[in-house]
Amino acid sequence: MVVDFLWGRNMDRKPLILYCYDFGATKQTISLKQNLLGDIIAILKSVSDIKSKLRPISDIDENSESEFIASTTFYDKGIFCCFIKMKKGAAANISTALLDMKDFNLEDTTKEDNTQISGHIKDYTYFFLTDRYLILKSGRIKFTEIEIYLNWLIKKSNKYSNEDLPLTLNAHIDNNYDVSNIKTIVLADGAKISKEKTVSAVITDIFVGLRERLQEAKTFEDIDPNDILSATISFRIKNHSKNVKESNKKLLQQLIKLFRDEEASFKDKKNSKILFNDVQKKKDIRVNFSGDYPDSSELASEMIAFIEEIL
């Protein structure tokens, strides 16, 4: 009776989504010489405690927020990792004793511990890394954050100490999706087209330029263009390239990396809107939960099964 009740409660949860990303070296010279996955595994096996894997996120205040791989399970196909973002604060989740351990599980943070507190869990996720793919559980932690952390981690090896970004992650485009069907890229108001300017800022610049050309410019002096205008910037994809499909795929991967769904989208030949999620390889799954956390062994099995489907 209890088991049935718990199972029913788990089934009421929304399904988790697994996203697939291509994993590889930033430069061909690195991929030819090194085994990225093997070197990451070697680093994770060599560290003696969590502190050795803890990356401060802020350069200004190293004690404010940090991230780390809390636990690693080694498989023939790759590694299954629990990734945590930790925030300094009063919430007692992560004790100093946990950080002194080589690995710990999410369930360990729920146990009462009156020793010195190092911080609390701001967010967490799980990922499975192979020599070709990274499978990431849906959540607020982006794949670009995992990419930054893995680059920081692998640079602990002398092999990569002189490389700025040894490895890269890119959204794995679903092979069943015809990328040549995408004809337009649309950037919305909030999308940044440079480090300093958004699309809405460009609207203001254009309006100011037009205002200067109008003879009765004073009429518009008190008008804020963003109060009355909304705009998007659209780019048409050319068709004359010999490798349209491969070029479009690489372009889509970079756009997914740069923008969020609310900042950019695509349009097909019929002018219908296409979201990033429509083109990336993903899978809905259901696993049991232990309290607030998914069953890690079930999740690992689902990720391995997903990889086998992709191969």
Side-chain angles (χ1 to χ4, degrees), residues 50-63:
I50 296 290
K51 293 174 184 176
S52 303
K53 300 180 286 185
L54 191 146
R55 173 185 173 267
I57 294 176
S58 173
D59 295 330
I60 300 174
D61 182 6
E62 293 187 358
N63 295 319

Side-chain angles (χ1 to χ4, degrees), residues 223-238:
I223 295 177
D224 182 349
N226 289 301
D227 288 339
I228 59 174
L229 297 176
S230 177
T232 59
I233 295 179
S234 298
F235 300 91
R236 295 282 295 176
I237 297 177
K238 296 179 180 179

